[in-house]
Amino acid sequence: MRLDKLLAHTGFGTRKEVKKIIKDGYIEINGTIAKKPGEKVDPDKDDVRVGGQRIYYEEFVYFMLNKPAGVISATEDFIHETVLDLLGPADLVQEPHPVGRLDIDTEGLLILTNDGQLTHQLTSPKKEVDKEYYARIEGVVTEDDVAKFEEGLILEDKEEDFKTRPAKLEILSVDEEENESEINVTIHEGKFHQVKRMFAAVGKEVLYLKRIRMKNLELDETLPPGEYRPLTEEEIKNLKPE
């Protein structure tokens, strides 16, 4: 890897800015002052230091974000705040992207990474990855609804109506006086507004929706909405295919 590329990817500025840092003699490679931006380095083996401080390079980054309502799952938008706007500058250097998407008013677990292969593994419909949500529902959810979710529901679509794959619906509580229910639901697709449309298909409305699990990664409930943290090595390992 070129030295200037390594420095840019680890947050020391643009290519133009790091070239000046190199020219001014602030960079050492294995104890020797670097002189050329194009000098080749091996991030895993070479001791590269900026002003005496060693730098470390990670090819891939993985973050867990507790997405708040009002923020969109996109890399850029000219109207709304995006999930990337919630990251610090140093964590944007590797250009992470959201793995799948959550609707603007949906909260909860969202993975951010620059690992395209993992993104494909987690979002491809063929992989049938679990996506579990907690929701508050207007209406009394019944065992008949549980059976319909398990069987699959026909949802209208602009291009072509489709039948959802079997979904697991768990009733947590029902308040008949308030005409509200609390549920967990696990789906294996990611169609536009899918959970909301599934409940609409059985005559009910989603009042609040929060993703709490994707595959075997559960939302860290100690993360306030809008906050994020790196995934642990164990969490990354568990997300990847065996």
Side-chain angles (χ1 to χ4, degrees), residues 35-47:
K35 298 179 180 178
K36 298 180 180 179
E39 192 165 346
K40 297 296 183 180
V41 292
D42 184 335
D44 295 325
K45 297 179 180 179
D46 291 324
D47 183 335

Side-chain angles (χ1 to χ4, degrees), residues 77-135:
D77 190 87
F78 297 110
I79 300 175
H80 300 99
E81 185 178 26
T82 74
V83 291
L84 292 192
D85 293 327
L86 301 176
L87 301 186
D91 294 323
L92 289 169
V93 171
Q94 301 289 65
E95 299 182 347
H97 57 260
V99 177
R101 65 187 179 192
L102 293 176
D103 299 333
I104 189 169
D105 57 350
T106 300
E107 301 180 4
L109 175 63
L110 189 66
I111 300 168
L112 300 168
T113 184
N114 58 347
D115 186 339
Q117 184 174 359
L118 178 62
T119 298
H120 174 73
Q121 291 289 334
L122 294 176
T123 58
S124 172
K126 295 180 180 179
K127 304 300 181 182
E128 297 191 351
V129 171
D130 284 356
K131 302 176 186 71
E132 185 176 1
Y133 296 81
Y134 161 81

Side-chain angles (χ1 to χ4, degrees), residues 9 28 50 75 86 94-95 126 171 210 219 237 239:
H9 277 207
E28 292 182 11
V50 179
T75 54
L86 301 176
Q94 301 289 65
E95 299 182 347
K126 295 180 180 179
I171 302 171
K210 177 180 181 179
L219 175 66
K237 179 182 177 181
L239 281 175

Side-chain angles (χ1 to χ4, degrees), residues 25-233:
Y26 288 105
I27 312 301
E28 292 182 11
I29 303 174
N30 300 323
T32 302
I33 295 177
K35 298 179 180 178
K36 298 180 180 179
E39 192 165 346
K40 297 296 183 180
V41 292
D42 184 335
D44 295 325
K45 297 179 180 179
D46 291 324
D47 183 335
V48 182
R49 295 177 182 264
V50 179
Q53 180 180 356
R54 185 167 183 175
I55 63 174
Y56 297 91
Y57 173 76
E58 292 180 295
E59 182 178 5
F60 297 119
V61 292
Y62 307 88
F63 302 112
M64 174 193 296
L65 169 71
N66 186 355
K67 177 191 167 303
V71 177
I72 65 170
S73 303
T75 54
E76 62 179 3
D77 190 87
F78 297 110
I79 300 175
H80 300 99
E81 185 178 26
T82 74
V83 291
L84 292 192
D85 293 327
L86 301 176
L87 301 186
D91 294 323
L92 289 169
V93 171
Q94 301 289 65
E95 299 182 347
H97 57 260
V99 177
R101 65 187 179 192
L102 293 176
D103 299 333
I104 189 169
D105 57 350
T106 300
E107 301 180 4
L109 175 63
L110 189 66
I111 300 168
L112 300 168
T113 184
N114 58 347
D115 186 339
Q117 184 174 359
L118 178 62
T119 298
H120 174 73
Q121 291 289 334
L122 294 176
T123 58
S124 172
K126 295 180 180 179
K127 304 300 181 182
E128 297 191 351
V129 171
D130 284 356
K131 302 176 186 71
E132 185 176 1
Y133 296 81
Y134 161 81
R136 289 202 319 270
I137 307 298
E138 183 176 59
V140 175
V141 179
T142 66
E143 291 300 328
D144 183 54
D145 295 325
V146 173
K148 289 178 179 178
F149 272 61
E150 177 61 35
E151 183 180 310
L153 296 162
I154 302 296
L155 301 184
E156 295 182 358
D157 195 83
K158 291 182 179 179
E159 298 180 356
E160 183 179 1
D161 294 353
F162 70 96
K163 184 176 183 179
T164 63
R165 294 180 182 179
K168 179 183 177 182
L169 176 59
E170 178 186 3
I171 302 171
L172 301 178
S173 68
V174 172
D175 188 329
E176 294 189 8
E177 289 188 5
E178 295 292 333
N179 193 37
E180 286 189 10
S181 306
E182 291 183 277
I183 61 91
N184 282 349
V185 61
T186 302
I187 63 174
H188 304 95
E189 301 144 299
K191 299 289 186 179
F192 184 67
H193 291 320
Q194 182 169 335
V195 173
K196 296 173 185 176
R197 292 162 68 192
M198 291 175 76
F199 277 100
V202 295
K204 298 173 177 67
E205 181 182 356
V206 174
L207 301 175
Y208 173 81
L209 188 62
K210 177 180 181 179
R211 184 156 69 192
I212 58 176
R213 180 173 63 87
M214 189 170 191
K215 195 176 180 180
N216 47 28
L217 180 66
E218 296 183 357
L219 175 66
D220 184 343
E221 294 292 352
T222 66
L223 278 178
E227 297 295 320
Y228 69 100
R229 67 163 174 81
L231 295 185
T232 66
E233 290 186 8

